[in-house]
Amino acid sequence: MDTQPTAAATPQQPDEITREVVDLMANLVALFHREYEDAAAARSLTGAQAKVLALLRRGPMPMRQIAQTLSCEPSNITGIVDRLESRGFVTREADRQDRRVKLVAATDTGTAASEELRESLNFAREPLAALGPDERTVLRDLLRRMLAGASGPGA
Amino acid sequence: MDTQPTAAATPQQPDEITREVVDLMANLVALFHREYEDAAAARSLTGAQAKVLALLRRGPMPMRQIAQTLSCEPSNITGIVDRLESRGFVTREADRQDRRVKLVAATDTGTAASEELRESLNFAREPLAALGPDERTVLRDLLRRMLAGASGPGA
DNA sequence: CCTGAAAAGTTGACAACCTGAACCTTTCAT
DNA sequence: ATGAAAGGTTCAGGTTGTCAACTTTTCAGG
């Protein structure tokens, strides 16, 4: 327990493994991001619109909470929800408890589109096909551990 | 080549593990994306600019190749390189072999900024800190396998 | 009850990103 | 020599994103 003046708090040099994992992650992130955008575009949605729609799978949500979850300004959400609403994917309803807040809810069309997109993602994941079932389990556990501490988008 | 409707080609129902891995991936992608944008913004770069700059670590590159690597239209790259150039991060030089092509090269300032950002990413990866060294190795191997078949950005 | 601060959402101005079509220059095959 | 094709740029238009100012609603004190 004694304090070696070294490692614990001090940001040590990233070891070789960490460095490579970061690079691999970057590539994987780029790949997934592209696939997500494409899958959304195939349903004439943008990535941002798809993300908002995905959030609403859990149920209606106030604008502000959407903004917080996506880490952006509330004024940004206004525009995205405007476009989703004008196409019938989403509705704005006033909250009865607090009339300042507007609850955004996915319509049936919206939910369907979101689910469809999600399914298409599951199929499109070519990279995952390279792994066996047991390896997928290992990967899942590692990812779980990595995300446990981080501030996930509540999903 | 006769087509037997074998299992290999048919997209089977995604199993539970795959589904969860995809969701975890989505969260991880969102997390990394946010961190990358923030790290870039801290150096007064946008995400897109940082990505282009990162590509140039390997050496000068034609506009078109940048566009192909990032999967976007060449006309888009024009603007991004414009802004990078106007701030001294990058230069455009004509290729001697083919005078149609313009080689984009990072300046010393540009390379320094990119390296610095890369280092800061290595340190900032909180999620990775949750894993032990041996687990990181396992993760690295799995990621390598996943990316082996995919069209990586040449990095 | 009244007043003022704070919160939720919107609006407007502005910048960056991205696409698609039209265009110019250079290269290359015939 | 001529025409097609490739590399970049420009322009118009749409989406995302920030920031500041504004409206409405809520809530805490006096």
Side-chain angles (χ1 to χ4, degrees), chain A:
Chain A
M1 269 347 149
D2 186 28
T3 59
Q4 293 144 321
T6 55
T10 1
Q12 64 254 357
Q13 298 252 84
D15 58 303
E16 206 38 57
I17 302 277
T18 298
R19 188 183 284 267
E20 187 177 350
V21 169
V22 169
D23 278 357
L24 289 168
M25 282 287 180
N27 288 353
L28 202 64
V29 164
L31 190 61
F32 269 57
H33 197 267
R34 234 175 311 177
E35 277 198 35
Y36 192 82
E37 292 279 340
D38 289 352
R43 286 149 188 84
S44 64
L45 287 173
T46 67
Q49 288 164 5
K51 275 185 218 161
V52 169
L53 224 40
L55 276 187
L56 300 179
R57 279 199 309 244
R58 302 248 165 184
M61 193 181 269
M63 306 279 295
R64 182 148 299 257
Q65 191 176 339
I66 299 179
Q68 278 169 356
T69 310
L70 298 186
S71 304
C72 69
E73 296 299 316
S75 62
N76 188 18
I77 303 299
T78 300
I80 299 175
V81 169
D82 278 351
R83 271 153 244 147
L84 282 174
E85 192 178 22
S86 76
R87 294 213 269 142
F89 288 123
V90 135
T91 60
R92 266 184 254 234
E93 19 182 291
D95 185 353
R96 257 173 258 288
Q97 270 70 37
D98 186 339
R99 275 186 309 177
R100 289 174 301 182
V101 59
K102 286 179 185 166
L103 293 171
V104 186
T107 62
D108 289 348
T109 318
T111 324
S114 182
E115 285 297 344
E116 190 185 311
L117 195 151
R118 178 184 151 95
E119 288 304 320
S120 90
L121 280 186
N122 285 331
F123 281 73
R125 292 314 183 207
E126 295 176 21
L128 270 181
L131 302 186
D134 44 344
E135 292 170 319
R136 253 170 278 193
T137 308
V138 173
L139 179 61
R140 183 202 57 184
D141 292 340
L142 288 178
L143 293 178
R144 271 185 184 169
R145 300 258 312 282
M146 288 178 67
L147 286 167
S151 62

Side-chain angles (χ1 to χ4, degrees), chain B residues 17 28-29 37 45 49 119 122 141:
Chain B
I17 302 278
L28 202 64
V29 164
E37 292 280 339
L45 287 173
Q49 289 164 5
E119 289 304 322
N122 284 333
D141 292 340

Side-chain angles (χ1 to χ4, degrees), chain B residues 60-71:
Chain B
M61 194 181 268
M63 305 280 295
R64 182 149 298 258
Q65 192 176 339
I66 299 179
Q68 278 169 354
T69 310
L70 298 186
S71 303

Side-chain angles (χ1 to χ4, degrees), chain B residues 52-114:
Chain B
V52 169
L53 224 39
L55 276 187
L56 300 179
R57 279 200 309 243
R58 302 248 165 186
M61 194 181 268
M63 305 280 295
R64 182 149 298 258
Q65 192 176 339
I66 299 179
Q68 278 169 354
T69 310
L70 298 186
S71 303
C72 70
E73 297 298 316
S75 61
N76 187 19
I77 303 299
T78 299
I80 299 175
V81 169
D82 278 351
R83 280 165 286 247
L84 281 175
E85 192 178 20
S86 75
R87 295 214 269 142
F89 287 124
V90 135
T91 60
R92 266 185 255 235
E93 18 182 291
D95 185 353
R96 257 173 257 288
Q97 271 70 38
D98 187 339
R99 275 185 310 177
R100 286 173 302 182
V101 64
K102 284 180 186 166
L103 292 171
V104 186
T107 63
D108 290 349
T109 318
T111 324
S114 182

